[in-house]
Amino acid sequence: MSGAVLARNTTGTADAATPLDIARIRADFPILARQVNGRPLVYLDSAASAQCPTAVLQAVDHYRTTLHANVHRGVHSLSQWATEAYEGSRERVRRFLNARSTREIIFVRGTTEAINLVANSFGRGHLGSGDEVLITYLEHHANIVPWQLVCAAAGARLRAAPVLDDGELDLDAFEALLTPRTRMVAVAHVSNALGTILPVQRIVQLAHARGVPVLLDGAQAVAHAPVDVQALDCDFYAFSGHKIYGPTGIGVLYGREALLAAMPPWQGGGDMILSVSIEKTTFNELPWKFEAGTPDISGAIGLAAALDYVDLLGRERIAAHEHALLELANARLAALPGLRLIGTAPDKAAVVSFTMDGVHPHDIGTILDSEGIAIRTGHHCAMPIMERFGLPATARASFALYNSAADVERLAAGLRKVRDVFG
Ligand code: C6P
């Protein structure tokens, strides 16, 4: 992903001009040393879920073996230490996103839950009959279905902005779809299916000029370039821990404090209350108002370790490395006969979606797997954009900070084998 497209880096520590030492980095990820089907693993499915470095595995293990207790509940030492570690992780996330306050950082299970929280809580209070929510054709199902559900309940309408033939958002059409009825805009920062980077800063400006709040689905963005929610000026930002080298089961919703403060809780239970009687509940302050029940404490701690890892390497450097891999992959794949790249927008993250004449994407994936190469095939939980391109499925290779040029060459060689098998 080209660093210039996103907001400025406020936290990067490493010198952006020094390339990443990939051999050293790979040694941080134990799983990359394993063989799959008798071949050294080439992992090109980080858009689905990235691998964890030892630092994350150790942080979770250390917490589980020495600190674990429930948070915000006990007077005993373990509970206090666990609470400090959990709330310290929240501060780490705040710094990573450059949010103003930890009150704006809600721990959730992942991007899906973050969007459901906003759709249910914000949507419930702000959507009425005839109102509109505007998304795009590039969205993951997680940023479509929650809005469909709340729109159906409110009698509101879900609208989607189209994309151009190269997979870019049609920004003029997007602007035309922003009407006096639009109450919410929710768009991906980066498309998971095509890798398109959306012009989110412009989208926020256009929406805010009409008084419409904006949610950005950052699931595919945060791991790949600097993200600064103040510079983006978005109202909500959602991401998942497991796509940024952290554990599964933990994610983050950033929300502008004034909006979150006015929103009702969407789940009830322990920890989100100040007092409860049978007649009435007084809700807790932000951010705990939105964290009902025992949270994923070790997940939050693992996520904080993952953010440390990413910032130690430097988000600008990661972006530059992945961009070089994207260019190499584009060149190698374009040279293969019968291979069609799906999504060639000028601003792209290191995600390459493609089809091969006469070969079903699942067969591509199966043959590559026999070579130890992991890619994703299918509709990528983004059926509307597949339909836009008249495809039931694509093959998708997605790159991360630990991938190397050698991985791209193995992919190209694997695809030549697919061609040989299918003639
Ligand atoms: N995309 C992929 O292979 P969860 O499952 O809640 O962590 O993330 C959902 C999600 C939301 N938005 C975008 C843009 C995403 O890419 C994803 C997850 C994975 O593309 C798994 S379907």
Side-chain angles (χ1 to χ4, degrees):
M1 190 189 290
S2 75
V5 192
L6 302 177
R8 85 201 136 83
N9 182 9
T10 51
T11 51
T13 49
D15 173 6
T18 315
L20 296 178
D21 181 345
I22 298 303
R24 230 179 105 187
I25 286 171
R26 289 178 70 83
D28 291 338
F29 292 81
I31 201 169
L32 297 180
R34 68 161 296 169
Q35 306 255 317
V36 171
N37 295 321
R39 302 291 311 275
L41 170 66
V42 172
Y43 190 72
L44 300 179
D45 198 19
S46 298
S49 200
Q51 302 297 347
C52 289
T54 305
V56 169
L57 303 172
Q58 284 178 345
V60 172
D61 191 51
H62 178 256
Y63 166 75
R64 297 289 317 181
T65 49
T66 65
L67 295 175
H68 174 66
N70 211 329
V71 291
H72 307 140
R73 285 161 172 83
V75 292
H76 62 79
S77 297
L78 278 181
S79 178
Q80 288 179 21
W81 293 333
T83 302
E84 273 166 31
Y86 179 69
E87 293 303 330
S89 302
R90 195 189 308 278
E91 164 56 21
R92 184 66 189 89
V93 174
R94 184 207 65 73
R95 201 150 44 86
F96 189 80
L97 293 177
N98 193 31
R100 292 167 200 83
S101 157
T102 49
R103 289 188 296 278
E104 300 183 316
I105 304 296
I106 318 284
F107 282 124
V108 288
R109 279 194 300 134
T111 309
T112 303
E113 190 172 75
I115 298 171
N116 274 279
L117 190 164
V118 179
N120 280 279
S121 173
F122 185 83
R124 219 189 307 154
H126 290 80
L127 289 178
S129 176
D131 288 343
E132 293 177 359
V133 173
L134 179 57
I135 60 171
T136 80
Y137 267 83
L138 285 163
E139 303 313 315
H140 185 279
H141 298 162
N143 200 28
I144 301 174
V145 185
W147 299 112
Q148 281 175 345
L149 293 171
V150 290
C151 282
R157 183 173 175 205
L158 183 62
R159 311 206 69 186
V163 299
L164 304 173
D165 288 342
D166 65 357
E168 247 183 301
L169 177 68
D170 183 340
L171 197 56
D172 292 337
F174 175 88
E175 188 170 2
L177 282 164
L178 272 173
T179 74
R181 292 175 175 276
T182 312
R183 296 283 169 271
M184 181 79 197
V185 164
V187 300
H189 194 168
V190 172
S191 147
N192 70 315
L194 307 186
T196 307
I197 301 171
L198 282 86
V200 286
Q201 239 148 352
R202 185 72 191 127
I203 286 172
V204 171
Q205 284 167 358
L206 290 170
H208 282 183
R210 293 158 178 83
V212 180
V214 179
L215 176 144
L216 298 179
D217 169 355
Q220 298 294 344
V222 279
H224 306 292
V227 170
D228 177 331
V229 291
Q230 292 192 61
L232 287 169
D233 199 28
C234 57
D235 301 284
F236 301 100
Y237 197 96
F239 75 93
S240 302
H242 70 103
K243 293 192 202 289
I244 188 162
Y245 316 105
T248 52
I250 186 76
V252 170
L253 173 69
Y254 157 81
R256 200 184 285 279
E257 185 172 349
L259 292 176
L260 290 176
M263 283 160 52
W266 78 303
Q267 290 180 337
D271 233 19
M272 51 77 72
I273 58 93
L274 288 179
S275 71
V276 179
S277 67
I278 295 302
E279 291 74 30
K280 177 176 181 306
T281 293
T282 313
F283 302 130
N284 205 341
E285 295 164 20
L286 289 174
W288 305 290
K289 179 172 90 172
F290 290 107
E291 292 181 5
T294 301
D296 182 357
I297 308 164
S298 68
I301 287 160
L303 173 60
L307 302 185
D308 282 345
Y309 186 82
V310 164
D311 273 343
L312 195 69
L313 296 179
R315 289 184 258 173
E316 300 282 4
R317 290 204 305 165
I318 294 169
H321 169 69
E322 292 179 358
H323 192 68
L325 291 177
L326 174 67
E327 295 204 322
L328 182 63
N330 280 338
R332 290 293 183 269
L333 270 57
L336 295 170
L339 190 143
R340 181 179 159 217
L341 291 173
I342 311 296
T344 52
D347 281 333
K348 272 194 63 172
V351 171
V352 186
S353 237
F354 57 93
T355 57
M356 280 175 103
D357 288 348
V359 191
H360 192 280
H362 289 321
D363 292 328
I364 301 175
T366 304
I367 294 175
L368 290 180
D369 180 53
S370 71
E371 297 288 309
I373 303 165
I375 63 159
R376 182 167 176 192
T377 61
H379 54 59
H380 314 296
C381 302
M383 289 173 90
I385 195 63
M386 293 288 119
E387 201 181 318
R388 158 69 178 80
F389 284 93
L391 297 166
T394 69
R396 182 191 73 180
S398 53
F399 298 89
L401 56 83
Y402 40 62
N403 289 119
S404 64
D407 290 341
V408 179
E409 301 300 351
R410 285 268 311 275
L411 173 66
L415 291 172
R416 282 194 292 275
K417 182 167 178 194
V418 174
R419 194 70 283 163
D420 290 347
V421 170
F422 281 85

